[in-house]
Every structure is written in structure tokens, then in C-alpha cells.
Amino acid sequence: CSHMTGNRAANELLRLPDGGEISLTAPPDRRPPHYKAVKDGRELTIEELPVRRAAKGEQVQDFEYTLVFGDGTTRELVAQSLPLRNDQGEPRGVVHTLVDITGRKQTEAALRESQEKYRALTETTGDFIWETDAALRYTYCSPQMEQLWGMQPAAMIGKTPFDVMVEEDKKRIAPFAADLSASPHPFRGLVSSAKAGDGTLIHLETSGVPYFATDGTLLGYRGITRDITERIRAEDAVRARENELRVVTDTVPALISYTGTDHHYRWVNRRYEEWFGIPPGQAAGRHVGDVLGQAAYEKIRPRLERAMAGETVTFEDELPYQAGGPRWIAATLVPDRTPEGTVTGVVSHVMDITSRRRTEEHVERLMALMDHNPSLVFLKDEEGRYVYLNEEYEKQFVRGKDWYGKTDFD
């Protein structure tokens, strides 16, 4: 695509003047010089850019990458690129949309950090600790092996996890295990099922890291395996209860709509129709409250009116939709202006973040339980420095955060 311009939001995101050249596939003398597209640690080639791929006829959806500016700042984006075709079906142009997901990525990173802290706090000797050789044969099994599988640790020496794994998982995990040997790397959260010594089915979660000889030769893996049978059963129960809702929401990464100044829809995208159960083409002309439900509409109306007044409004909130019940959303409302500056409507971009918020609340509750645990709970980093003390520990031994970052020798 040799030439592309964007709307006001695109220009603001890409730090371009109105009408500025957006396309990184434009001729070098017109190509924007102050940013580049990066994915998986390397700059994308022109042929890999979603716009170029769409210009060749490919539909590119949910393509995530990082925009790196010349001053070192970055924005995380997800792109959709669709080819426009002439009457002969040949590509004649591209429709390209960008969504800034930087905030979401930062939140996800913070959430992962919280989950790691929780995992470190809750790991106990109840987990099965193991070591294998390069062929994934056990060379050490902790005593928890007997609790987990009802087998003596010595009985597993020389065997592999596949010797107790169910047949279905053997086929699924075999390629992954081969990759671990061919290209050693840490792994975590590998879920599998196995038969215990008494014949019962148990579900396991395994994490491990490779270890090497001084010359770099892979010696094997060390890690832990924990019994997550109860968790899997609970997740299965939740999935069964929420199946009807998930059928709708799991396939909806973004809802796009255009609302007029009278708060009636002018159009909505296909995913919006699917999300709210609207027959194709029948959303136009309907009032927002009729689709969302009056309670949800009253909650977002002040924000919608701010956008109608010319303000770009971004928010996260839980809305009591009449279709599907309460859901957490991340939304951006962008006013649509005429060349004279008159707002004629609002473009809304909505993402469903319910799962993320539930996870955050779950982690917060778990951390709160740790803080109110009458036992003394602490966490040290790999160098022996304190990084967490629960309230009971601080109450009995230290004042405030005086021990954070210190070791017992300090």
C-alpha cells in the first residue's frame, strides 16, 4: 500500500499531522521516519506488515505488534487489515484499523506479577519436586510422589512422565516434549492427566527449567508438579454454568458502533450484533437504551454525553446489560467531527475484560487471605532478601517495611 491516511485518532496515535502519510509500505521518501513496527523483538519487514498483506488480498485480523518511536517510547497495538476489491475481485485498496492496547498489556503484566507472587507464597512441600535427564527420564523424585500418585519415588527412577500419563495426553504432549529436548527452554503451567496408583484420574500442572553442563550440553530438567484436580473440576463446573454466555462473548474481541447525537445507533459491526443478539442490519435506528438495557444506558449516558460534547472518553466499568447480565468493559468513545468541528456522533470501541477483572479480584482476595493469616508468612528472593511479610509477621517482629530488601544477616 503506497499511500494511506488516517482519522484524527490515528494521527494522534502515530504523532502525525492531519493528512500525514501513515503507511510504512509507502515509498521511502514519503514513509514516516519516526516509528517502526516490531514483533517478537525484531522489526517487521515490509512484506510482513498487515497493510501489505491485505493489499495482496489477505484478511489480517487481530495482529498484535509494538510501535516503537524514535524517542524510545512504545505503544502496543492490535491491527485489522481488510482488502478492498474491485468488480473483478482484485484488491484496490485496504481498510486498516489500529487499537491501542498499551494499557491492557501493562495491566496484564502487573497481573502476571501478582500471580507469580501468589504462586511463590503458596508453593509448599506438598508439590512433587523432580529432576530428569536430557531424555526426560526421572533421576530424582521427592517423597511427594507417593502422595501424588501412590507410588514409591524409587519406582519412578528411569521412567518418564509418559509412563503414567493418559493416552490422549501422551499424543498431545509428545511434540512439546520433543521440542524441550531439541530446543531447551523453561516451561510452566503444562497441564496433563495421569492415573494414580489406585487407578483414579488426577490432573497435574507441571513447570520446569533446563540445566546444563559447563560446556552447554543439556543435562535435563528440574521442576515441580502439583495436583490441580480440584481446580480442574471447579473450572469445568464454571465452564458448564457459563457456557451459554461464553458462546457469545469468547468470540467478540471488539465491539464497534456509531451513535448519533440523538443516542440512536447509525450502525454497529457484526460482532456487536452477535454480542447483543441483534439480527443483522437491524441495529440502525434503535436507541442505545433499547439494546443495552435502561440500567446500563443510564450508567454510560454521562460519558456518552461528554463524548457528544467533543471529549474523547476512555473508561473501564461494569455495566448491567439486559442481555447477558453484568460485564466489565474497557471502552473508548471518540467524537466524530465535521471539518468545521461540529460533533455529529460518537464512535465507540468496547472490549470485554470480565475475565481479567475476575482474576484480579481473585488474586486480591488470595493476597488478603495471606495478610490476615494468623501464621507467620514471608517471601524471600533468590538472594535471601525479604520481599513480602504478612501483617502477622510484621506485627510480631518488624515495624513497617524495615526488613524489605534486607537479609537475615542485615
Side-chain angles (χ1 to χ4, degrees), residues 73 141 366:
T73 58
C141 297
L366 291 172

Side-chain angles (χ1 to χ4, degrees), residues 96-129:
H96 183 59
T97 61
L98 293 175
V99 178
D100 186 348
I101 58 172
T102 305
R104 190 191 81 191
K105 289 291 187 181
Q106 291 171 344
T107 301
E108 290 174 351
L111 180 58
R112 284 193 295 271
E113 182 179 351
S114 295
Q115 290 172 323
E116 287 305 312
K117 180 179 287 189
Y118 167 68
R119 178 175 287 118
L121 289 170
T122 55
E123 285 178 352
T124 69
T125 56
D127 292 334
F128 164 46
I129 301 171

Side-chain angles (χ1 to χ4, degrees), residues 29 63 88 95 102 142 154 212 245 278 283 303-304 313 317 339 381:
D29 59 332
F63 184 85
Q88 290 74 43
V95 175
T102 305
S142 71
F212 303 89
L245 178 61
I278 305 171
R303 292 153 174 159
L304 189 59
V313 181
D317 202 350
D381 62 18

Side-chain angles (χ1 to χ4, degrees), residues 43 101 253 343:
E43 184 174 359
I101 58 172
V343 176

Side-chain angles (χ1 to χ4, degrees), residues 39-52:
K39 187 175 180 66
D40 298 328
R42 65 174 183 85
E43 184 174 359
L44 294 173
T45 66
I46 288 179
E47 296 303 319
E48 293 174 317
L49 293 170
V51 169
R52 173 60 66 90

Side-chain angles (χ1 to χ4, degrees), residues 172-405:
R172 176 176 62 86
I173 296 176
F176 175 77
D179 182 59
L180 286 179
S181 297
S183 179
H185 58 272
F187 68 95
R188 67 191 323 157
L190 177 64
V191 176
S192 63
S193 300
K195 289 290 186 179
D198 61 1
T200 59
L201 182 68
I202 56 175
H203 301 286
L204 310 169
E205 181 181 72
T206 302
S207 300
V209 295
Y211 66 101
F212 303 89
T214 54
D215 63 358
T217 302
L218 174 67
L219 294 179
Y221 281 82
R222 297 186 179 111
I224 63 171
T225 296
R226 65 164 55 106
D227 186 347
I228 59 167
T229 303
E230 292 304 317
R231 192 190 85 186
I232 293 296
R233 289 172 180 168
E235 290 173 353
D236 288 344
V238 170
R239 281 192 293 269
R241 289 194 298 268
E242 297 182 349
N243 183 64
E244 183 177 354
L245 178 61
R246 190 177 67 253
V247 168
V248 177
T249 60
D250 280 359
T251 58
V252 183
L255 287 73
I256 311 297
S257 67
Y258 188 99
T259 307
T261 54
D262 59 355
H263 293 202
H264 285 72
Y265 290 110
R266 296 293 182 266
W267 58 262
V268 301
N269 69 344
R270 178 179 56 83
R271 291 174 177 177
Y272 203 110
E273 293 174 334
E274 293 175 349
W275 219 49
F276 289 103
I278 305 171
Q282 295 189 21
R286 293 183 62 179
H287 192 273
V288 174
D290 292 339
V291 175
L292 304 187
Q294 198 61 30
Y297 170 65
E298 291 298 332
K299 199 167 185 179
I300 70 163
R301 183 169 65 174
R303 292 153 174 159
L304 189 59
E305 290 174 347
R306 285 164 54 194
M308 294 294 180
E311 178 185 353
T312 297
V313 181
T314 300
F315 66 92
E316 291 187 5
D317 202 350
E318 185 178 31
L319 298 185
Y321 291 116
Q322 68 179 4
R327 298 175 190 166
W328 274 94
I329 64 166
T332 301
L333 312 181
V334 181
D336 180 32
R337 297 181 176 88
T338 65
E340 294 76 27
T342 302
V343 176
T344 58
V346 168
V347 177
S348 302
H349 177 276
V350 177
M351 296 288 292
D352 182 359
I353 60 171
T354 304
S355 178
R356 190 199 80 196
R357 290 302 295 254
R358 287 177 179 172
T359 303
E360 290 173 348
E361 292 167 358
H362 179 63
V363 171
E364 288 173 0
R365 288 195 297 269
L366 291 172
M367 295 304 294
L369 287 174
M370 287 295 179
D371 273 338
H372 293 88
N373 193 320
S375 301
L376 304 179
V377 181
F378 66 88
L379 175 66
K380 295 182 180 180
D381 62 18
E382 60 185 6
E383 296 180 0
R385 294 187 296 258
Y386 286 94
V387 296
Y388 172 81
L389 305 171
N390 73 342
E391 291 181 1
E392 186 65 24
Y393 202 109
E394 292 187 4
K395 186 187 303 180
Q396 294 195 30
F397 291 102
V398 297
R399 181 173 300 171
K401 308 296 183 183
D402 292 347
W403 281 18
Y404 278 49

